[in-house]
Amino acid sequence: MLQVEDLGGAWELRADPEGAGATPPEQSRALAGTTVPASVPGCVHVDLLNDGRLVDPFRDDNELAVAWVGRTDWRYDRDVAWTGPPHERVDLVFEGLDTVAAIELGGAALGSTRNMHRGYRYDVSALLDGTARPLTVRFTSAYTEAERVRDLLGPRPNAYPEPFNFIRKMACAFGWDWGPTLVTAGIWRPVRLEGWSTARLATVRPLATYDGTGTLDITVGVERTRECDLRARVLLDGRRIAVLDLPGGVTAAHAEVAVGDVTPWHPRGYGEPARYELTVELLDGDRVLDRWQRHTGFRTVTIDRSADAVGHRFVVHVNGEPVLVKGVNWIPDDVFPSRMTRERYERRLREAAGAGVNLVRVWGGGIYEDRAFYEVCDELGLMVWQDFPFACACYPEEEPLFSEVVAEARENVLRLAAHPSLITWCGNNENLWLRDPCGWPEQPGGQSSWGETYYLRTLPDIVAELDPSRPYQAGSPWSGSWDHAPNDPDHQTFHSWDVWNRRDYTHYRDSAPRFVAEFGWQAPPAWTTLRDAVSDEPLLPDSPGVLHHQKAEDGNGKLARGLAPHFGAPASTEAWHYLTQLNQVRAVRTGVEHWRAHWPHTGGTILWQLNDLWPVTSWAAIDGAGRYKPLYFALRDLYAPRALTVQPRDGGPVVAVLNDHRDPWTGTLVIERRGTGGALLAAAAEPVRVAPRSVAVLPVPAAVARFGDPAAELLVVRLDDARALWFAVEDLDFTYDDPGLTVDVDAVAGGLDVRVHAVALARDVLLQPDRIHPRAVVDRGFVTLLPGESVVFHVRAPLDLAPGLVKAPWVLTDLSSVRRG
């Protein structure tokens, strides 16, 4: 039986004076001869931080002070020995090396690497005899390698002034419009010794599909030390469903197995995400040589990209049923991804599920995530859209990059095949789109190879060969062919960034794209997250530390211009923080409700973005410290199975009844026009029946929609427990009287219950729990109360909280108070 010895844990780290890089920075020369304790899996920055040799790169502008780390060559050392029983073969296995490495064992060179996105295996049988041998991994600066390849192949344009497109490394390590430039190195995934004899399982590719019954298309690849007859036994939940013969010398076997009656895997909101334990055992006679085990699920995925009268659809179908996509874009949850744990993946993904999300797009400037990420998505019923790691750049198609792209793609397509949550492969992020609008063909290197071959030939061929069970997309956005502009809203996928960059968010309503794969609006992180990261005194929206944690081009200018037509200029930094958070919610709500009202013409939305990887002003719903912005709570409403929205149309406002539920929605729709003090001015009621998974649009009766004083009236729409509000004028023109809020606080086990009651209209009441205690959380974001209504904010913390803390400035506020100064 194959045996494993884990080589994780304690290693030694040194700056490498013999590295291949240029003259090392002064800071790394000062480390000459110094040994730093290292932990594997890990990375250089984290090891230096843990040893007290780096300032916190997330604080103020310390990112700049630690830039030397990325320009330095490093080495990791430890002694290794095979202490298990004798085997015909012992392999040294690295699941991930970041990125440019040379490996030596006992002074013998084993090989070199230049790709973070793949694993490496070396036969070390002749080098390990029970005696400890020194193992050294030397890392050349990623800058050195990227600049070498750039000099070799010539320049290629990209969206950022860093050479990330010349090396197969996580692109956003070089900085992004929401991330710092922290170019690290290290043994970032597990490393081990594997001892085996006769044969081992080299690959297992299970493609589990469902068409009324389950089918398992399985391919098993083996590596041998000898020619003999072998078998691969396949078990599903412990039941043998197939035996694959591997006669002497044969290294692969394939079977298509009719599994019969199985419960299919469904995405969230469409059924249970049923999973089965799949086991493959490699047998020599009755002796088990190796065992592979995963959970998988049976489902069939297609994407309807057919033509219609408008253009080309983009509707995801799972098990034959169209699915309204309620998605979020996922970036690496840590700029140092070696710090990610299963627990952290599970926490963040459960948060996504808790917000009503049913799809997570793994964005192309990051990584192929850890197995734990996909296993949690399998369990939760979260669909995964997986980009190949290409983003916002022209990528050379020549060597030494081409073969690396092929190797990483083949490895990861096979590695992730068992996961039912993975529903589509996507060739890149924005590369097909940005080439012409950014003028890349006219820039130096712009006429050279730029990646089109990867996206339109190489990657689809690999997916067609290794994973025909999942649809492939050439890019996001992509209209389907060069017959239409890549970001044409009428054809397949669309990225909506013109609004954030140039226009007010009300312009989201100007079109109904077929599928919105990216859109978003910025806001700063939670107050405590911002204060922990920025030491500016006074703290101002444009103080140096705040601006350093704003990476978007003219980001704060766009925030200010976004506020102006709705709220005017904030009176203080605290007001700016509150209003920009509110404007983020208003903007995203405007887009999602408008597009969702056009289902199935618009097949879904994928918010940019769920998460952050450091404390920053960004489009995220969960900030870099893991704190919820109000947007997180708004998603629960926007992505709820049943919801109401009032939409402006040429003939007057309409009510869209959104029913993403397997059952019809029946009841009486009540539409009222009320004054801010609660007076009922007009009303209408209508019985409705909205079919499952559909939208009904009903006009607001003219008598109700005819506002007498738009500055002091609003529409209130109700159906069962769902409610929508509509204001005919902007906040600048609306009359905000004192809502007469009263607040009662009860100390309860685990925190505080804060009951807020309104005498008059109280719009956008917000409780910010981190202003009570850094570890406090709350269960809701902005809440609007009609006259006479109450709400309870449940504040929880890992320690006792004094009720009086709720009265501290800006803990509890509302829009009227902020507007009135």
Side-chain angles (χ1 to χ4, degrees):
M1 183 71 175
L2 182 145
Q3 292 179 305
V4 172
E5 290 189 9
D6 182 21
L7 298 183
W11 286 57
E12 293 179 343
L13 173 68
R14 299 176 181 85
D16 189 1
E18 301 175 14
T23 303
E26 178 182 347
Q27 297 93 329
S28 59
R29 291 199 301 271
L31 282 175
T34 300
T35 299
V36 176
S39 182
V40 170
C43 71
V44 171
H45 282 83
V46 174
D47 292 331
L48 294 173
L49 279 166
N50 290 342
D51 201 48
R53 297 181 182 275
L54 280 189
V55 293
D56 181 357
F58 290 1
R59 178 82 168 165
D60 294 328
D61 63 354
N62 289 346
E63 168 198 356
L64 306 177
V66 304
W68 62 272
V69 176
R71 291 283 182 178
T72 300
D73 296 337
W74 300 93
R75 61 180 285 177
Y76 282 80
D77 293 278
R78 66 160 286 171
D79 289 340
V80 301
W82 176 253
T83 59
H87 277 286
E88 295 172 350
R89 176 86 170 259
V90 176
D91 291 342
L92 174 62
V93 182
F94 293 95
E95 291 190 18
L97 292 165
D98 180 14
T99 292
V100 186
I103 302 101
E104 303 168 6
L105 179 60
L110 298 181
S112 60
T113 75
R114 55 163 60 93
N115 194 329
M116 178 185 185
H117 302 303
R118 54 180 293 212
Y120 299 89
R121 178 180 292 267
Y122 302 100
D123 180 358
V124 295
S125 309
L127 299 175
L128 293 178
D129 56 6
T131 304
R133 296 282 189 269
L135 174 60
T136 298
V137 183
R138 298 179 182 273
F139 287 96
T140 299
S141 162
Y143 279 110
T144 299
E145 170 70 4
E147 291 162 358
R148 181 189 73 83
V149 174
R150 182 183 60 196
D151 292 345
L152 175 68
L153 301 180
R156 298 295 195 284
N158 68 27
Y160 300 99
E162 294 278 334
F164 63 85
N165 46 332
F166 293 94
I167 187 170
R168 296 309 296 155
K169 176 179 171 67
M170 182 175 87
C172 63
F174 291 87
W176 221 259
D177 58 2
W178 36 256
T181 301
L182 293 168
V183 180
T184 196
I187 305 170
W188 78 287
R189 279 183 166 161
V191 55
R192 61 186 177 272
L193 293 173
E194 288 186 357
W196 55 279
S197 299
T198 305
R200 71 175 186 90
L201 290 168
T203 58
V204 176
R205 186 207 66 172
L207 305 178
T209 55
Y210 181 80
D211 186 12
T213 60
T215 300
L216 182 68
D217 183 311
I218 188 162
T219 302
V220 175
V222 300
E223 186 177 11
R224 296 172 173 267
T225 61
R226 65 178 76 169
E227 293 190 8
C228 61
D229 293 342
L230 305 172
R231 294 176 298 136
R233 182 167 57 198
V234 183
L235 302 100
L236 193 69
D237 275 359
R239 175 175 64 94
R240 189 182 71 182
I241 60 171
V243 175
L244 285 63
D245 291 325
L246 292 149
V250 172
T251 58
H254 169 263
E256 188 169 301
V257 184
V259 178
D261 187 20
V262 295
T263 302
W265 184 95
H266 292 288
R268 293 189 69 80
Y270 288 74
E272 292 301 312
R275 297 177 302 147
Y276 293 82
E277 185 177 72
L278 180 63
T279 304
V280 178
E281 295 177 331
L282 183 61
L283 304 175
D284 179 8
D286 293 330
R287 183 165 61 102
V288 178
L289 301 176
D290 198 1
R291 180 180 288 111
W292 177 99
Q293 199 164 60
R294 300 284 191 278
H295 280 89
T296 193
F298 293 84
R299 85 288 177 276
T300 295
V301 181
T302 58
I303 300 176
D304 180 1
R305 291 176 273 195
S306 61
D308 61 13
V310 175
H312 287 84
R313 303 175 178 89
F314 193 93
V315 179
V316 172
H317 290 243
V318 180
N319 302 325
E321 183 175 11
V323 175
L324 170 64
V325 169
K326 295 178 271 190
V328 288
N329 282 275
W330 170 279
I331 65 172
D333 203 50
D334 199 310
V335 72
F336 306 125
S338 60
R339 293 197 291 199
M340 290 299 294
T341 62
R342 185 181 186 91
E343 292 73 24
R344 188 162 158 187
Y345 276 123
E346 184 161 1
R347 179 171 66 252
R348 196 67 72 239
L349 291 167
R350 286 192 180 277
E351 289 168 336
V357 167
N358 65 10
L359 180 143
V360 179
R361 175 187 174 220
V362 181
W363 167 76
I367 59 177
Y368 307 94
E369 293 288 348
D370 185 77
R371 170 179 161 185
F373 172 92
Y374 304 94
E375 288 180 337
V376 174
C377 289
D378 294 343
E379 176 187 345
L380 296 177
L382 288 171
M383 298 177 288
V384 176
W385 162 328
Q386 177 70 53
D387 281 8
F388 287 97
F390 300 89
C392 301
C394 293
Y395 283 81
E397 298 168 5
E398 294 81 14
E399 297 295 352
L401 291 174
F402 183 83
S403 59
E404 289 292 343
V405 169
V406 171
E408 80 175 50
R410 294 184 69 87
E411 177 179 319
N412 284 284
V413 169
L414 289 172
R415 180 174 73 91
L416 301 179
H419 296 287
S421 58
L422 177 55
I423 65 158
T424 182
W425 293 98
C426 179
N428 73 89
N429 174 76
E430 298 188 342
N431 297 345
L432 293 164
W433 168 36
L434 293 180
R435 179 169 162 78
D436 288 334
C438 291
W440 287 347
E442 288 73 48
Q443 296 180 31
Q447 295 294 333
S448 304
S449 67
W450 58 277
E452 183 181 21
T453 299
Y454 293 140
Y455 319 133
L456 300 184
R457 194 163 66 227
T458 307
L459 295 174
D461 286 352
I462 290 171
V463 172
E465 175 195 351
L466 299 179
D467 189 8
S469 72
R470 294 176 175 91
Y472 171 84
Q473 314 167 51
S476 184
W478 180 235
S479 61
S481 76
W482 288 118
D483 294 339
H484 310 283
N487 202 35
D488 188 323
D490 290 333
H491 299 275
Q492 298 195 31
T493 54
F494 177 72
H495 286 195
S496 179
W497 286 118
D498 186 61
V499 170
W500 156 253
N501 284 313
R502 298 176 182 86
R503 311 171 79 187
D504 184 64
Y505 60 72
T506 55
H507 287 279
Y508 282 137
R509 300 191 185 110
D510 290 351
S511 67
R514 308 316 301 267
F515 188 97
V516 185
E518 282 190 18
F519 77 104
W521 201 269
Q522 276 200 345
W527 183 261
T528 298
T529 302
L530 184 62
R531 286 274 45 177
D532 287 347
V534 178
S535 63
D536 297 349
E537 292 296 348
L539 183 74
L540 301 172
D542 60 354
S543 60
V546 175
L547 290 180
H548 188 81
H549 288 76
Q550 164 62 277
K551 296 295 187 177
E553 182 180 0
D554 190 30
N556 272 25
K558 292 170 185 175
L559 285 175
R561 290 189 292 276
L563 287 177
H566 305 285
F567 305 110
S572 65
T573 301
E574 290 82 0
W576 170 83
H577 184 263
Y578 169 93
L579 289 172
T580 50
Q581 298 265 3
L582 177 57
N583 221 34
Q584 182 184 42
V585 169
R586 295 273 188 91
V588 172
R589 181 179 297 278
T590 298
V592 172
E593 289 186 342
H594 167 70
W595 294 318
R596 190 171 168 183
H598 284 81
W599 163 261
H601 174 92
T602 300
T605 54
I606 309 180
L607 172 74
W608 188 270
Q609 64 216 65
L610 174 68
N611 56 326
D612 269 326
L613 48 63
W614 80 312
V616 65
T617 297
S618 85
W619 301 265
I622 303 173
D623 75 19
R627 294 187 174 97
Y628 300 156
K629 296 183 186 180
L631 175 60
Y632 172 79
F633 298 105
L635 284 179
R636 292 191 312 201
D637 298 330
L638 298 174
Y639 283 165
R642 288 175 169 169
L644 301 173
T645 177
V646 180
Q647 294 291 309
R649 299 286 169 89
D650 289 342
V654 299
V655 177
V657 185
L658 315 173
N659 184 30
D660 184 27
H661 196 280
R662 67 180 65 193
D663 298 324
W665 193 4
T666 60
T668 300
L669 181 71
V670 178
I671 308 174
E672 302 172 334
R673 178 161 48 84
R674 290 186 175 271
T676 55
L680 178 62
L681 305 175
E686 181 177 349
V688 297
R689 185 185 187 280
V690 184
R693 314 292 187 192
S694 66
V695 175
V697 178
L698 299 92
V700 176
V704 181
R706 192 177 301 117
F707 283 77
D709 181 2
E713 300 173 10
L714 69 153
L715 293 182
V716 182
V717 182
R718 295 186 178 91
L719 178 59
D720 294 340
D721 294 332
R723 184 173 82 176
L725 306 178
W726 174 256
F727 296 81
V729 297
E730 292 293 346
D731 293 270
L732 280 172
D733 301 317
F734 196 78
T735 302
Y736 282 106
D737 297 324
D738 184 349
L741 295 180
T742 58
V743 181
D744 297 307
V745 185
D746 293 325
V748 298
L752 304 172
D753 283 353
V754 182
R755 184 178 184 274
V756 181
H757 179 80
V759 174
L761 174 70
R763 197 170 184 191
D764 298 306
V765 181
L766 180 68
L767 191 151
Q768 300 182 67
D770 58 292
R771 287 179 177 266
I772 297 175
H773 188 276
R775 296 174 65 188
V777 297
V778 73
D779 64 337
R780 63 191 68 225
F782 290 107
V783 178
T784 292
L785 299 175
L786 299 178
E789 289 186 337
S790 300
V791 67
V792 177
F793 292 90
H794 301 284
V795 180
R796 298 296 179 261
L799 72 171
D800 292 336
L801 300 174
L805 294 172
V806 175
K807 297 181 180 179
W810 292 94
V811 169
L812 185 69
T813 192
D814 69 288
L815 182 56
S816 174
S817 300
V818 174
R819 291 279 294 120
R820 290 183 286 115

